[in-house]
Amino acid sequence: MIKAALTVLLILVAMSSTFGKYIPKTGKRSVQTLSRGWGDQLIWAQTYEEALYWSRSRNKPLMVLFHLDDCPHSQALKKVFSEDVELQRTLDEDFIILNLVYETTDKHLSPDGKYVPRIIFVDPAMTVRADINGRYSNRMYAYETTDLKLLKSNMQKAKKLLKSEL
């Protein structure tokens, strides 16, 4: 009796841990250390150069996410970012993604300064989309936890621009 109850409890715990998390169409993937907790089921590019190559060869926009592990704003955004199933699905299906905890040598990726968290979109023609930005005038590419709706809208804009310009 106790054995059966423990078995049922174990099954329920295992099942509940999978609810609310994004699982790709191809099935659950092994956790990538490159995700740094931003979306463990997503495929992340390792370098900016690799991300540009994937973007161009797969004809998908690139989303570059700058953050720091010890930044409270980055940590808060990471939590809501990784828990949003719709956002994770869109990233998996329609974007090449890269997260960086260091700055790149490409000055186009910091058009208004080097702050975190910051999200920049790059199209497959390797053009940084400075026209896709957040809601702050002093940190144009910053997003906060309350800005996920705007981020999703900007992701749709990046996809639309891809179809209309290429």
Side-chain angles (χ1 to χ4, degrees):
M1 175 81 167
I2 294 175
K3 202 173 193 180
L6 285 175
T7 303
V8 169
L9 180 63
L10 183 62
I11 291 171
L12 288 174
V13 168
M15 288 178 56
S16 67
S17 68
T18 61
F19 292 139
K21 292 193 176 194
Y22 172 69
I23 298 176
K25 290 179 187 174
T26 57
K28 194 166 184 169
R29 299 179 184 133
S30 61
V31 174
Q32 284 193 3
T33 56
L34 296 174
S35 77
R36 296 180 180 97
W38 288 86
D40 292 337
Q41 294 300 311
L42 301 175
I43 297 173
W44 295 85
Q46 188 168 354
T47 64
Y48 182 53
E49 291 74 20
E50 179 183 57
L52 288 173
Y53 173 77
W54 285 358
S55 175
R56 191 164 183 90
S57 64
R58 298 175 187 173
N59 199 32
K60 291 182 176 183
L62 165 62
M63 188 179 87
V64 184
L65 169 63
F66 291 90
H67 64 96
L68 291 174
D69 289 332
D70 59 351
C71 169
H73 300 286
S74 296
Q75 292 301 315
L77 184 61
K78 178 196 303 190
K79 183 174 177 3
V80 297
F81 187 99
S82 65
E83 292 174 354
D84 191 297
V85 175
E86 178 188 356
L87 178 81
Q88 297 283 311
R89 181 178 299 112
T90 302
L91 287 171
D92 186 44
E93 294 172 359
D94 301 324
F95 283 84
I96 302 301
I97 46 178
L98 172 68
N99 74 47
L100 298 173
V101 290
Y102 57 87
E103 291 294 333
T104 67
T105 56
D106 187 344
K107 63 181 181 245
H108 295 102
L109 291 176
S110 53
D112 66 336
K114 296 179 179 181
Y115 51 86
V116 293
R118 151 175 116 250
I119 298 175
I120 305 279
F121 293 93
V122 182
D123 67 27
M126 295 192 261
T127 303
V128 174
R129 299 310 310 226
D131 56 331
I132 302 176
N133 48 38
R135 67 182 174 126
Y136 306 100
S137 60
N138 61 336
R139 297 172 290 127
M140 293 177 57
Y141 307 97
Y143 293 87
E144 293 184 0
T145 56
T146 56
D147 297 331
L148 276 191
K149 187 174 180 180
L150 175 61
L151 177 58
K152 290 178 195 177
S153 171
N154 283 344
M155 290 167 63
Q156 294 303 320
K157 194 183 298 183
K159 287 172 33 179
K160 284 180 187 169
L161 288 172
L162 172 69
K163 291 176 184 166
S164 67
E165 292 184 1
L166 295 178

